[in-house]
Amino acid sequence: HYFSDDLIADELCYFIKEEHRGGPSGLLLISAYEKWAWGRGAVLVTVEVSSGIRPERTLKLYERLGFQLQGYRVNKYRKGEE
């Protein structure tokens, strides 16, 4: 898909306030995002675990929803910019 005309949906960012985590908010948001993407003809829907807030828990949620881990995102900050 990277070198084709296929459409992909690539989530940039979404954030659930701490007091709403673990409830239906995240599930509803992901579901709406997927419905939107498939409805526009996407052949791939992607999500990221990049906030650094409980990444293992977030990954497990995505996997329960049918997403598959395909790599890692790694960052390196300039010294003093962490």
Side-chain angles (χ1 to χ4, degrees), residues 28-64:
L28 293 170
L29 190 58
I30 295 166
S31 177
Y33 164 60
E34 276 192 89
K35 184 177 179 180
W36 172 85
W38 298 136
R40 280 156 180 75
V43 299
L44 174 68
V45 175
T46 67
V47 292
E48 291 190 24
V49 182
S50 59
S51 68
I53 301 171
R54 296 189 234 162
E56 296 84 9
R57 184 176 173 184
T58 305
L59 177 58
K60 286 181 183 179
L61 169 65
Y62 287 151
E63 288 176 333
R64 280 197 316 270

PDB file of all heavy atoms in Angstrom, residues 28-64:
ATOM      1  N   LEU A  28     -15.541   3.355  21.843  1.00  0.00           N
ATOM      2  CA  LEU A  28     -16.440   4.065  20.937  1.00  0.00           C
ATOM      3  C   LEU A  28     -15.659   4.895  19.925  1.00  0.00           C
ATOM      4  O   LEU A  28     -16.016   4.950  18.741  1.00  0.00           O
ATOM      5  CB  LEU A  28     -17.396   4.954  21.729  1.00  0.00           C
ATOM      6  CG  LEU A  28     -18.413   4.213  22.594  1.00  0.00           C
ATOM      7  CD1 LEU A  28     -19.141   5.181  23.527  1.00  0.00           C
ATOM      8  CD2 LEU A  28     -19.399   3.454  21.725  1.00  0.00           C
ATOM      9  N   LEU A  29     -14.591   5.529  20.372  1.00  0.00           N
ATOM     10  CA  LEU A  29     -13.778   6.346  19.481  1.00  0.00           C
ATOM     11  C   LEU A  29     -13.087   5.494  18.418  1.00  0.00           C
ATOM     12  O   LEU A  29     -13.108   5.824  17.234  1.00  0.00           O
ATOM     13  CB  LEU A  29     -12.750   7.132  20.298  1.00  0.00           C
ATOM     14  CG  LEU A  29     -11.974   8.218  19.586  1.00  0.00           C
ATOM     15  CD1 LEU A  29     -12.913   9.250  18.981  1.00  0.00           C
ATOM     16  CD2 LEU A  29     -11.034   8.901  20.574  1.00  0.00           C
ATOM     17  N   ILE A  30     -12.503   4.380  18.833  1.00  0.00           N
ATOM     18  CA  ILE A  30     -11.842   3.484  17.885  1.00  0.00           C
ATOM     19  C   ILE A  30     -12.861   2.908  16.902  1.00  0.00           C
ATOM     20  O   ILE A  30     -12.604   2.835  15.694  1.00  0.00           O
ATOM     21  CB  ILE A  30     -11.099   2.349  18.622  1.00  0.00           C
ATOM     22  CG1 ILE A  30      -9.962   2.929  19.459  1.00  0.00           C
ATOM     23  CG2 ILE A  30     -10.554   1.321  17.637  1.00  0.00           C
ATOM     24  CD1 ILE A  30      -9.400   1.957  20.473  1.00  0.00           C
ATOM     25  N   SER A  31     -14.014   2.523  17.398  1.00  0.00           N
ATOM     26  CA  SER A  31     -15.057   1.978  16.536  1.00  0.00           C
ATOM     27  C   SER A  31     -15.510   2.997  15.492  1.00  0.00           C
ATOM     28  O   SER A  31     -15.678   2.660  14.321  1.00  0.00           O
ATOM     29  CB  SER A  31     -16.243   1.534  17.393  1.00  0.00           C
ATOM     30  OG  SER A  31     -17.294   1.074  16.590  1.00  0.00           O
ATOM     31  N   ALA A  32     -15.709   4.240  15.917  1.00  0.00           N
ATOM     32  CA  ALA A  32     -16.127   5.291  14.980  1.00  0.00           C
ATOM     33  C   ALA A  32     -15.040   5.551  13.943  1.00  0.00           C
ATOM     34  O   ALA A  32     -15.336   5.747  12.754  1.00  0.00           O
ATOM     35  CB  ALA A  32     -16.450   6.570  15.744  1.00  0.00           C
ATOM     36  N   TYR A  33     -13.789   5.548  14.371  1.00  0.00           N
ATOM     37  CA  TYR A  33     -12.656   5.740  13.460  1.00  0.00           C
ATOM     38  C   TYR A  33     -12.619   4.629  12.409  1.00  0.00           C
ATOM     39  O   TYR A  33     -12.492   4.886  11.212  1.00  0.00           O
ATOM     40  CB  TYR A  33     -11.371   5.789  14.274  1.00  0.00           C
ATOM     41  CG  TYR A  33     -10.085   5.595  13.505  1.00  0.00           C
ATOM     42  CD1 TYR A  33      -9.717   6.463  12.483  1.00  0.00           C
ATOM     43  CD2 TYR A  33      -9.222   4.555  13.826  1.00  0.00           C
ATOM     44  CE1 TYR A  33      -8.518   6.283  11.790  1.00  0.00           C
ATOM     45  CE2 TYR A  33      -8.030   4.381  13.148  1.00  0.00           C
ATOM     46  CZ  TYR A  33      -7.681   5.240  12.137  1.00  0.00           C
ATOM     47  OH  TYR A  33      -6.506   5.062  11.464  1.00  0.00           O
ATOM     48  N   GLU A  34     -12.753   3.375  12.863  1.00  0.00           N
ATOM     49  CA  GLU A  34     -12.757   2.253  11.921  1.00  0.00           C
ATOM     50  C   GLU A  34     -13.915   2.353  10.933  1.00  0.00           C
ATOM     51  O   GLU A  34     -13.731   2.163   9.721  1.00  0.00           O
ATOM     52  CB  GLU A  34     -12.875   0.926  12.673  1.00  0.00           C
ATOM     53  CG  GLU A  34     -11.579   0.390  13.192  1.00  0.00           C
ATOM     54  CD  GLU A  34     -11.765  -1.039  13.647  1.00  0.00           C
ATOM     55  OE1 GLU A  34     -11.589  -1.953  12.809  1.00  0.00           O
ATOM     56  OE2 GLU A  34     -12.101  -1.240  14.831  1.00  0.00           O
ATOM     57  N   LYS A  35     -15.109   2.618  11.435  1.00  0.00           N
ATOM     58  CA  LYS A  35     -16.289   2.733  10.571  1.00  0.00           C
ATOM     59  C   LYS A  35     -16.076   3.822   9.531  1.00  0.00           C
ATOM     60  O   LYS A  35     -16.388   3.643   8.351  1.00  0.00           O
ATOM     61  CB  LYS A  35     -17.521   3.030  11.420  1.00  0.00           C
ATOM     62  CG  LYS A  35     -18.800   3.063  10.636  1.00  0.00           C
ATOM     63  CD  LYS A  35     -19.998   3.287  11.553  1.00  0.00           C
ATOM     64  CE  LYS A  35     -21.279   3.344  10.739  1.00  0.00           C
ATOM     65  NZ  LYS A  35     -22.455   3.556  11.592  1.00  0.00           N
ATOM     66  N   TRP A  36     -15.540   4.958   9.953  1.00  0.00           N
ATOM     67  CA  TRP A  36     -15.253   6.066   9.049  1.00  0.00           C
ATOM     68  C   TRP A  36     -14.267   5.619   7.964  1.00  0.00           C
ATOM     69  O   TRP A  36     -14.477   5.862   6.779  1.00  0.00           O
ATOM     70  CB  TRP A  36     -14.697   7.241   9.840  1.00  0.00           C
ATOM     71  CG  TRP A  36     -14.182   8.356   9.000  1.00  0.00           C
ATOM     72  CD1 TRP A  36     -14.917   9.389   8.475  1.00  0.00           C
ATOM     73  CD2 TRP A  36     -12.826   8.564   8.580  1.00  0.00           C
ATOM     74  NE1 TRP A  36     -14.088  10.221   7.749  1.00  0.00           N
ATOM     75  CE2 TRP A  36     -12.816   9.737   7.793  1.00  0.00           C
ATOM     76  CE3 TRP A  36     -11.635   7.865   8.775  1.00  0.00           C
ATOM     77  CZ2 TRP A  36     -11.644  10.222   7.217  1.00  0.00           C
ATOM     78  CZ3 TRP A  36     -10.477   8.359   8.213  1.00  0.00           C
ATOM     79  CH2 TRP A  36     -10.490   9.516   7.434  1.00  0.00           C
ATOM     80  N   ALA A  37     -13.186   4.948   8.368  1.00  0.00           N
ATOM     81  CA  ALA A  37     -12.142   4.528   7.428  1.00  0.00           C
ATOM     82  C   ALA A  37     -12.657   3.503   6.429  1.00  0.00           C
ATOM     83  O   ALA A  37     -12.467   3.644   5.217  1.00  0.00           O
ATOM     84  CB  ALA A  37     -10.951   3.964   8.200  1.00  0.00           C
ATOM     85  N   TRP A  38     -13.311   2.444   6.927  1.00  0.00           N
ATOM     86  CA  TRP A  38     -13.823   1.409   6.018  1.00  0.00           C
ATOM     87  C   TRP A  38     -14.861   2.013   5.074  1.00  0.00           C
ATOM     88  O   TRP A  38     -14.915   1.663   3.897  1.00  0.00           O
ATOM     89  CB  TRP A  38     -14.457   0.255   6.794  1.00  0.00           C
ATOM     90  CG  TRP A  38     -13.566  -0.511   7.719  1.00  0.00           C
ATOM     91  CD1 TRP A  38     -13.891  -0.912   8.990  1.00  0.00           C
ATOM     92  CD2 TRP A  38     -12.236  -1.011   7.508  1.00  0.00           C
ATOM     93  NE1 TRP A  38     -12.839  -1.602   9.565  1.00  0.00           N
ATOM     94  CE2 TRP A  38     -11.815  -1.677   8.667  1.00  0.00           C
ATOM     95  CE3 TRP A  38     -11.344  -0.932   6.435  1.00  0.00           C
ATOM     96  CZ2 TRP A  38     -10.564  -2.280   8.799  1.00  0.00           C
ATOM     97  CZ3 TRP A  38     -10.084  -1.525   6.570  1.00  0.00           C
ATOM     98  CH2 TRP A  38      -9.726  -2.189   7.730  1.00  0.00           C
ATOM     99  N   GLY A  39     -15.678   2.934   5.572  1.00  0.00           N
ATOM    100  CA  GLY A  39     -16.701   3.556   4.755  1.00  0.00           C
ATOM    101  C   GLY A  39     -16.151   4.411   3.626  1.00  0.00           C
ATOM    102  O   GLY A  39     -16.842   4.710   2.656  1.00  0.00           O
ATOM    103  N   ARG A  40     -14.909   4.808   3.737  1.00  0.00           N
ATOM    104  CA  ARG A  40     -14.274   5.611   2.694  1.00  0.00           C
ATOM    105  C   ARG A  40     -13.368   4.782   1.791  1.00  0.00           C
ATOM    106  O   ARG A  40     -12.639   5.317   0.970  1.00  0.00           O
ATOM    107  CB  ARG A  40     -13.516   6.768   3.324  1.00  0.00           C
ATOM    108  CG  ARG A  40     -14.487   7.885   3.677  1.00  0.00           C
ATOM    109  CD  ARG A  40     -13.987   8.789   4.768  1.00  0.00           C
ATOM    110  NE  ARG A  40     -14.961   9.824   5.053  1.00  0.00           N
ATOM    111  CZ  ARG A  40     -16.089   9.645   5.732  1.00  0.00           C
ATOM    112  NH1 ARG A  40     -16.400   8.454   6.171  1.00  0.00           N
ATOM    113  NH2 ARG A  40     -16.917  10.641   5.979  1.00  0.00           N
ATOM    114  N   GLY A  41     -13.404   3.464   1.982  1.00  0.00           N
ATOM    115  CA  GLY A  41     -12.670   2.588   1.084  1.00  0.00           C
ATOM    116  C   GLY A  41     -11.256   2.234   1.506  1.00  0.00           C
ATOM    117  O   GLY A  41     -10.486   1.707   0.701  1.00  0.00           O
ATOM    118  N   ALA A  42     -10.906   2.496   2.760  1.00  0.00           N
ATOM    119  CA  ALA A  42      -9.560   2.140   3.217  1.00  0.00           C
ATOM    120  C   ALA A  42      -9.368   0.626   3.161  1.00  0.00           C
ATOM    121  O   ALA A  42     -10.294  -0.132   3.438  1.00  0.00           O
ATOM    122  CB  ALA A  42      -9.329   2.640   4.641  1.00  0.00           C
ATOM    123  N   VAL A  43      -8.166   0.206   2.793  1.00  0.00           N
ATOM    124  CA  VAL A  43      -7.840  -1.217   2.803  1.00  0.00           C
ATOM    125  C   VAL A  43      -7.047  -1.580   4.056  1.00  0.00           C
ATOM    126  O   VAL A  43      -6.830  -2.750   4.331  1.00  0.00           O
ATOM    127  CB  VAL A  43      -7.044  -1.640   1.537  1.00  0.00           C
ATOM    128  CG1 VAL A  43      -7.868  -1.394   0.278  1.00  0.00           C
ATOM    129  CG2 VAL A  43      -5.707  -0.929   1.455  1.00  0.00           C
ATOM    130  N   LEU A  44      -6.622  -0.564   4.796  1.00  0.00           N
ATOM    131  CA  LEU A  44      -5.842  -0.761   6.018  1.00  0.00           C
ATOM    132  C   LEU A  44      -6.188   0.347   6.989  1.00  0.00           C
ATOM    133  O   LEU A  44      -6.253   1.519   6.611  1.00  0.00           O
ATOM    134  CB  LEU A  44      -4.338  -0.726   5.696  1.00  0.00           C
ATOM    135  CG  LEU A  44      -3.380  -0.780   6.878  1.00  0.00           C
ATOM    136  CD1 LEU A  44      -3.443  -2.138   7.561  1.00  0.00           C
ATOM    137  CD2 LEU A  44      -1.963  -0.472   6.420  1.00  0.00           C
ATOM    138  N   VAL A  45      -6.401  -0.023   8.239  1.00  0.00           N
ATOM    139  CA  VAL A  45      -6.636   0.941   9.314  1.00  0.00           C
ATOM    140  C   VAL A  45      -5.521   0.757  10.335  1.00  0.00           C
ATOM    141  O   VAL A  45      -5.269  -0.360  10.796  1.00  0.00           O
ATOM    142  CB  VAL A  45      -8.015   0.710   9.975  1.00  0.00           C
ATOM    143  CG1 VAL A  45      -8.202   1.639  11.162  1.00  0.00           C
ATOM    144  CG2 VAL A  45      -9.132   0.909   8.966  1.00  0.00           C
ATOM    145  N   THR A  46      -4.821   1.833  10.657  1.00  0.00           N
ATOM    146  CA  THR A  46      -3.719   1.744  11.612  1.00  0.00           C
ATOM    147  C   THR A  46      -3.996   2.599  12.841  1.00  0.00           C
ATOM    148  O   THR A  46      -4.709   3.602  12.774  1.00  0.00           O
ATOM    149  CB  THR A  46      -2.378   2.194  10.999  1.00  0.00           C
ATOM    150  OG1 THR A  46      -2.444   3.594  10.721  1.00  0.00           O
ATOM    151  CG2 THR A  46      -2.063   1.430   9.734  1.00  0.00           C
ATOM    152  N   VAL A  47      -3.430   2.172  13.951  1.00  0.00           N
ATOM    153  CA  VAL A  47      -3.460   2.929  15.204  1.00  0.00           C
ATOM    154  C   VAL A  47      -2.055   2.869  15.797  1.00  0.00           C
ATOM    155  O   VAL A  47      -1.261   2.003  15.440  1.00  0.00           O
ATOM    156  CB  VAL A  47      -4.501   2.363  16.198  1.00  0.00           C
ATOM    157  CG1 VAL A  47      -5.912   2.581  15.707  1.00  0.00           C
ATOM    158  CG2 VAL A  47      -4.257   0.890  16.469  1.00  0.00           C
ATOM    159  N   GLU A  48      -1.767   3.775  16.692  1.00  0.00           N
ATOM    160  CA  GLU A  48      -0.445   3.806  17.313  1.00  0.00           C
ATOM    161  C   GLU A  48      -0.553   3.742  18.833  1.00  0.00           C
ATOM    162  O   GLU A  48      -1.577   4.104  19.403  1.00  0.00           O
ATOM    163  CB  GLU A  48       0.298   5.086  16.934  1.00  0.00           C
ATOM    164  CG  GLU A  48       0.692   5.150  15.492  1.00  0.00           C
ATOM    165  CD  GLU A  48       1.627   6.315  15.203  1.00  0.00           C
ATOM    166  OE1 GLU A  48       2.314   6.794  16.126  1.00  0.00           O
ATOM    167  OE2 GLU A  48       1.658   6.745  14.050  1.00  0.00           O
ATOM    168  N   VAL A  49       0.519   3.315  19.443  1.00  0.00           N
ATOM    169  CA  VAL A  49       0.670   3.344  20.887  1.00  0.00           C
ATOM    170  C   VAL A  49       1.898   4.210  21.129  1.00  0.00           C
ATOM    171  O   VAL A  49       3.009   3.716  21.222  1.00  0.00           O
ATOM    172  CB  VAL A  49       0.882   1.932  21.475  1.00  0.00           C
ATOM    173  CG1 VAL A  49       0.993   1.986  22.983  1.00  0.00           C
ATOM    174  CG2 VAL A  49      -0.247   1.005  21.050  1.00  0.00           C
ATOM    175  N   SER A  50       1.709   5.521  21.147  1.00  0.00           N
ATOM    176  CA  SER A  50       2.875   6.411  21.191  1.00  0.00           C
ATOM    177  C   SER A  50       2.831   7.440  22.308  1.00  0.00           C
ATOM    178  O   SER A  50       3.724   8.261  22.411  1.00  0.00           O
ATOM    179  CB  SER A  50       3.012   7.137  19.845  1.00  0.00           C
ATOM    180  OG  SER A  50       1.847   7.876  19.565  1.00  0.00           O
ATOM    181  N   SER A  51       1.818   7.405  23.158  1.00  0.00           N
ATOM    182  CA  SER A  51       1.717   8.410  24.217  1.00  0.00           C
ATOM    183  C   SER A  51       2.650   8.117  25.383  1.00  0.00           C
ATOM    184  O   SER A  51       2.979   9.014  26.149  1.00  0.00           O
ATOM    185  CB  SER A  51       0.285   8.486  24.750  1.00  0.00           C
ATOM    186  OG  SER A  51      -0.036   7.293  25.449  1.00  0.00           O
ATOM    187  N   GLY A  52       3.041   6.851  25.529  1.00  0.00           N
ATOM    188  CA  GLY A  52       3.862   6.472  26.675  1.00  0.00           C
ATOM    189  C   GLY A  52       3.035   6.233  27.926  1.00  0.00           C
ATOM    190  O   GLY A  52       3.578   5.950  28.987  1.00  0.00           O
ATOM    191  N   ILE A  53       1.715   6.337  27.819  1.00  0.00           N
ATOM    192  CA  ILE A  53       0.833   6.112  28.962  1.00  0.00           C
ATOM    193  C   ILE A  53       0.292   4.691  28.888  1.00  0.00           C
ATOM    194  O   ILE A  53      -0.499   4.361  28.005  1.00  0.00           O
ATOM    195  CB  ILE A  53      -0.343   7.121  28.962  1.00  0.00           C
ATOM    196  CG1 ILE A  53       0.193   8.545  29.018  1.00  0.00           C
ATOM    197  CG2 ILE A  53      -1.285   6.831  30.128  1.00  0.00           C
ATOM    198  CD1 ILE A  53      -0.870   9.601  28.796  1.00  0.00           C
ATOM    199  N   ARG A  54       0.774   3.829  29.759  1.00  0.00           N
ATOM    200  CA  ARG A  54       0.353   2.426  29.816  1.00  0.00           C
ATOM    201  C   ARG A  54       0.332   1.753  28.441  1.00  0.00           C
ATOM    202  O   ARG A  54      -0.700   1.251  27.987  1.00  0.00           O
ATOM    203  CB  ARG A  54      -1.012   2.311  30.473  1.00  0.00           C
ATOM    204  CG  ARG A  54      -0.999   2.750  31.918  1.00  0.00           C
ATOM    205  CD  ARG A  54      -2.298   2.428  32.580  1.00  0.00           C
ATOM    206  NE  ARG A  54      -2.815   3.647  33.178  1.00  0.00           N
ATOM    207  CZ  ARG A  54      -4.061   3.825  33.543  1.00  0.00           C
ATOM    208  NH1 ARG A  54      -4.936   2.878  33.364  1.00  0.00           N
ATOM    209  NH2 ARG A  54      -4.452   4.951  34.071  1.00  0.00           N
ATOM    210  N   PRO A  55       1.459   1.754  27.738  1.00  0.00           N
ATOM    211  CA  PRO A  55       1.469   1.207  26.375  1.00  0.00           C
ATOM    212  C   PRO A  55       1.080  -0.269  26.290  1.00  0.00           C
ATOM    213  O   PRO A  55       0.427  -0.675  25.324  1.00  0.00           O
ATOM    214  CB  PRO A  55       2.904   1.432  25.900  1.00  0.00           C
ATOM    215  CG  PRO A  55       3.705   1.640  27.133  1.00  0.00           C
ATOM    216  CD  PRO A  55       2.777   2.221  28.155  1.00  0.00           C
ATOM    217  N   GLU A  56       1.439  -1.069  27.295  1.00  0.00           N
ATOM    218  CA  GLU A  56       1.092  -2.491  27.246  1.00  0.00           C
ATOM    219  C   GLU A  56      -0.417  -2.678  27.301  1.00  0.00           C
ATOM    220  O   GLU A  56      -0.988  -3.500  26.591  1.00  0.00           O
ATOM    221  CB  GLU A  56       1.758  -3.255  28.402  1.00  0.00           C
ATOM    222  CG  GLU A  56       3.268  -3.262  28.361  1.00  0.00           C
ATOM    223  CD  GLU A  56       3.896  -2.007  28.973  1.00  0.00           C
ATOM    224  OE1 GLU A  56       3.169  -1.190  29.585  1.00  0.00           O
ATOM    225  OE2 GLU A  56       5.115  -1.834  28.822  1.00  0.00           O
ATOM    226  N   ARG A  57      -1.071  -1.878  28.137  1.00  0.00           N
ATOM    227  CA  ARG A  57      -2.530  -1.963  28.266  1.00  0.00           C
ATOM    228  C   ARG A  57      -3.211  -1.514  26.969  1.00  0.00           C
ATOM    229  O   ARG A  57      -4.172  -2.137  26.514  1.00  0.00           O
ATOM    230  CB  ARG A  57      -2.986  -1.098  29.436  1.00  0.00           C
ATOM    231  CG  ARG A  57      -4.443  -1.177  29.714  1.00  0.00           C
ATOM    232  CD  ARG A  57      -4.803  -0.370  30.936  1.00  0.00           C
ATOM    233  NE  ARG A  57      -6.245  -0.329  31.097  1.00  0.00           N
ATOM    234  CZ  ARG A  57      -6.866   0.348  32.011  1.00  0.00           C
ATOM    235  NH1 ARG A  57      -6.181   1.050  32.896  1.00  0.00           N
ATOM    236  NH2 ARG A  57      -8.180   0.346  32.098  1.00  0.00           N
ATOM    237  N   THR A  58      -2.693  -0.450  26.379  1.00  0.00           N
ATOM    238  CA  THR A  58      -3.263   0.046  25.129  1.00  0.00           C
ATOM    239  C   THR A  58      -3.093  -0.987  24.016  1.00  0.00           C
ATOM    240  O   THR A  58      -4.016  -1.246  23.245  1.00  0.00           O
ATOM    241  CB  THR A  58      -2.605   1.382  24.731  1.00  0.00           C
ATOM    242  OG1 THR A  58      -2.729   2.304  25.816  1.00  0.00           O
ATOM    243  CG2 THR A  58      -3.246   1.967  23.492  1.00  0.00           C
ATOM    244  N   LEU A  59      -1.913  -1.576  23.936  1.00  0.00           N
ATOM    245  CA  LEU A  59      -1.665  -2.603  22.916  1.00  0.00           C
ATOM    246  C   LEU A  59      -2.620  -3.777  23.085  1.00  0.00           C
ATOM    247  O   LEU A  59      -3.178  -4.274  22.109  1.00  0.00           O
ATOM    248  CB  LEU A  59      -0.215  -3.079  22.978  1.00  0.00           C
ATOM    249  CG  LEU A  59       0.161  -4.193  22.014  1.00  0.00           C
ATOM    250  CD1 LEU A  59      -0.095  -3.786  20.564  1.00  0.00           C
ATOM    251  CD2 LEU A  59       1.610  -4.603  22.214  1.00  0.00           C
ATOM    252  N   LYS A  60      -2.844  -4.222  24.325  1.00  0.00           N
ATOM    253  CA  LYS A  60      -3.771  -5.331  24.561  1.00  0.00           C
ATOM    254  C   LYS A  60      -5.181  -4.979  24.102  1.00  0.00           C
ATOM    255  O   LYS A  60      -5.881  -5.813  23.542  1.00  0.00           O
ATOM    256  CB  LYS A  60      -3.766  -5.725  26.040  1.00  0.00           C
ATOM    257  CG  LYS A  60      -2.532  -6.482  26.449  1.00  0.00           C
ATOM    258  CD  LYS A  60      -2.573  -6.862  27.908  1.00  0.00           C
ATOM    259  CE  LYS A  60      -1.269  -7.554  28.291  1.00  0.00           C
ATOM    260  NZ  LYS A  60      -1.253  -7.918  29.711  1.00  0.00           N
ATOM    261  N   LEU A  61      -5.595  -3.741  24.334  1.00  0.00           N
ATOM    262  CA  LEU A  61      -6.916  -3.305  23.865  1.00  0.00           C
ATOM    263  C   LEU A  61      -6.989  -3.397  22.344  1.00  0.00           C
ATOM    264  O   LEU A  61      -7.938  -3.964  21.795  1.00  0.00           O
ATOM    265  CB  LEU A  61      -7.203  -1.873  24.315  1.00  0.00           C
ATOM    266  CG  LEU A  61      -8.425  -1.211  23.670  1.00  0.00           C
ATOM    267  CD1 LEU A  61      -9.706  -1.934  24.069  1.00  0.00           C
ATOM    268  CD2 LEU A  61      -8.482   0.258  24.036  1.00  0.00           C
ATOM    269  N   TYR A  62      -5.996  -2.847  21.668  1.00  0.00           N
ATOM    270  CA  TYR A  62      -5.988  -2.888  20.204  1.00  0.00           C
ATOM    271  C   TYR A  62      -6.014  -4.330  19.694  1.00  0.00           C
ATOM    272  O   TYR A  62      -6.716  -4.646  18.746  1.00  0.00           O
ATOM    273  CB  TYR A  62      -4.772  -2.165  19.647  1.00  0.00           C
ATOM    274  CG  TYR A  62      -4.816  -0.664  19.751  1.00  0.00           C
ATOM    275  CD1 TYR A  62      -3.644   0.065  19.856  1.00  0.00           C
ATOM    276  CD2 TYR A  62      -6.005   0.045  19.724  1.00  0.00           C
ATOM    277  CE1 TYR A  62      -3.649   1.457  19.929  1.00  0.00           C
ATOM    278  CE2 TYR A  62      -6.031   1.431  19.808  1.00  0.00           C
ATOM    279  CZ  TYR A  62      -4.856   2.120  19.908  1.00  0.00           C
ATOM    280  OH  TYR A  62      -4.874   3.487  19.980  1.00  0.00           O
ATOM    281  N   GLU A  63      -5.235  -5.194  20.322  1.00  0.00           N
ATOM    282  CA  GLU A  63      -5.194  -6.595  19.887  1.00  0.00           C
ATOM    283  C   GLU A  63      -6.546  -7.276  20.105  1.00  0.00           C
ATOM    284  O   GLU A  63      -6.992  -8.062  19.264  1.00  0.00           O
ATOM    285  CB  GLU A  63      -4.081  -7.344  20.606  1.00  0.00           C
ATOM    286  CG  GLU A  63      -2.708  -6.921  20.117  1.00  0.00           C
ATOM    287  CD  GLU A  63      -1.551  -7.569  20.856  1.00  0.00           C
ATOM    288  OE1 GLU A  63      -1.713  -7.941  22.049  1.00  0.00           O
ATOM    289  OE2 GLU A  63      -0.479  -7.691  20.258  1.00  0.00           O
ATOM    290  N   ARG A  64      -7.229  -6.970  21.218  1.00  0.00           N
ATOM    291  CA  ARG A  64      -8.570  -7.524  21.443  1.00  0.00           C
ATOM    292  C   ARG A  64      -9.546  -7.064  20.371  1.00  0.00           C
ATOM    293  O   ARG A  64     -10.513  -7.756  20.054  1.00  0.00           O
ATOM    294  CB  ARG A  64      -9.097  -7.122  22.827  1.00  0.00           C
ATOM    295  CG  ARG A  64      -8.556  -7.944  23.955  1.00  0.00           C
ATOM    296  CD  ARG A  64      -9.370  -7.818  25.236  1.00  0.00           C
ATOM    297  NE  ARG A  64      -9.768  -6.467  25.595  1.00  0.00           N
ATOM    298  CZ  ARG A  64      -9.074  -5.635  26.360  1.00  0.00           C
ATOM    299  NH1 ARG A  64      -7.908  -6.016  26.843  1.00  0.00           N
ATOM    300  NH2 ARG A  64      -9.526  -4.437  26.644  1.00  0.00           N
TER     301      ARG A  64
END
